[in-house]
Amino acid sequence: MSIEALTEVDDGPRSKRPAILAAAVECFGETGYEGTKWSAVADRVGIGQTALYHYFESKAHCLLTVMRLGLRNSDVAFREATDGAPTALAGLRAAVGAAYALSPQDVQQNRILVANIGLLAGARVSAREESEREACRVLVARVERNWVELIERGIADGEFPDRDPQVMARSLLGLIVGVWRWYRPGGPLDLADISTFVEGCAVRMIAGRDETP
Amino acid sequence: MSIEALTEVDDGPRSKRPAILAAAVECFGETGYEGTKWSAVADRVGIGQTALYHYFESKAHCLLTVMRLGLRNSDVAFREATDGAPTALAGLRAAVGAAYALSPQDVQQNRILVANIGLLAGARVSAREESEREACRVLVARVERNWVELIERGIADGEFPDRDPQVMARSLLGLIVGVWRWYRPGGPLDLADISTFVEGCAVRMIAGRDETP
């Protein structure tokens, strides 16, 4: 899963792109994006600067790619978890569960995404960075849309009270991704416990049911 | 309120610091921190580079000060809103209300804080930047502690079901500050409506009561 999560369809078997991205996730996750020297990423992969620049023109270009792949993985995981859910409530529980069924590398990727989300606000001068930024913004909108549609289904089926689905989806996403502001792999709290906790919060918030301890 | 919110006790009446901070909030809010040229802040205040550097040694130093004052204001607003609340539930409602009873400048300050929170993760080389970063981290912990204590009171008084107060406080903060990822002053949604909406979510999430529409 580790390298797959950072691989794209057009990466050949000899591409160093996934390994560079994995090293960048480690570096940005450990010392922060600002605190990471771009050359440290090359050192960790064991390649030279020339090879590094063949794949990424800048540290920001690499970060934006890490963010885009994290968003892509979230979008795919949501669909896989909710496809075939018998009710919107079951879909809600499954989607929250999928948001936390992650490897330590996936967790770092989400932490990097949340910590640097401000980078998506302003246009980039470089064309390749701007292309990644725009792809990130499309995916942010798609992920939000996934949650909106799930809530709309629940309202249409009479499972959830009729509250603004977009504001509700955004509130729910704030709750779910807020975890990446403070959770660290290997910390005192188990990710499975956090998942159960947030699932209970989400069900109470959206369905108004208080069932989960 | 506009300048007060950016003033410190040791700012004399002739200090240009609050005006510089107000200009920085406008610039960072409009074009993002990354997208703002440091010289653009001086231009907006109508001062030269020398005067600018008298107060802030770098754009990051200025950003960290904006973040610290935003956190200070949140801490003060929480205490003012909850002091004398007759019940924990009343305190919860008042605290959520206070989190959104903000001027457009306060909103921009919160948006900047959330978008750049990753900057607090890694140590700064500069001593003045590092001092602001550490002060920010102390305030982040204090704000979280405010919410934990409110939830603990509700549990002790039997108003709220007994769920981990720290994880609950962090979940609640994710919900509340998540709004600054997407809300913009002058956008289609009214801040007062968002406040009512989030208050309802918070009450359902924490107290398990479904009363607010």
Side-chain angles (χ1 to χ4, degrees), chain B residues 159-172:
Chain B
E159 288 184 84
F160 303 158
D162 189 3
R163 297 182 179 104
D164 186 321
Q166 193 179 38
V167 181
M168 190 53 94
R170 286 171 170 178
S171 299
L172 186 58

Side-chain angles (χ1 to χ4, degrees), chain A residues 31 34 115 118-119 122 124 163-164 167-168 170-171 173-175 178 181-182 189 197 201 204-205 208 210 212-213, chain B residues 31 34 115 118-119 122 124 163-164 167-168 170-171 173-175 181-182 189 197 201 204-205 208 210 212-213:
Chain A
T31 47
E34 287 269 344
L119 203 67
R124 310 297 301 174
R163 296 182 180 106
D164 186 320
V167 182
M168 190 54 94
R170 287 171 170 178
S171 300
L173 275 166
L175 169 69
R181 288 186 309 114
W182 55 269
L189 276 163
F197 193 95
C201 288
R204 291 193 297 281
M205 205 167 104
D210 196 351
T212 318
Chain B
T31 47
E34 288 269 344
L119 202 68
R124 309 298 301 176
R163 297 182 179 104
D164 186 321
V167 181
M168 190 53 94
R170 286 171 170 178
S171 299
L173 275 165
L175 168 69
R181 287 187 307 112
W182 55 268
L189 276 163
F197 193 96
C201 288
R204 290 193 297 282
M205 205 167 105
D210 196 350
T212 318

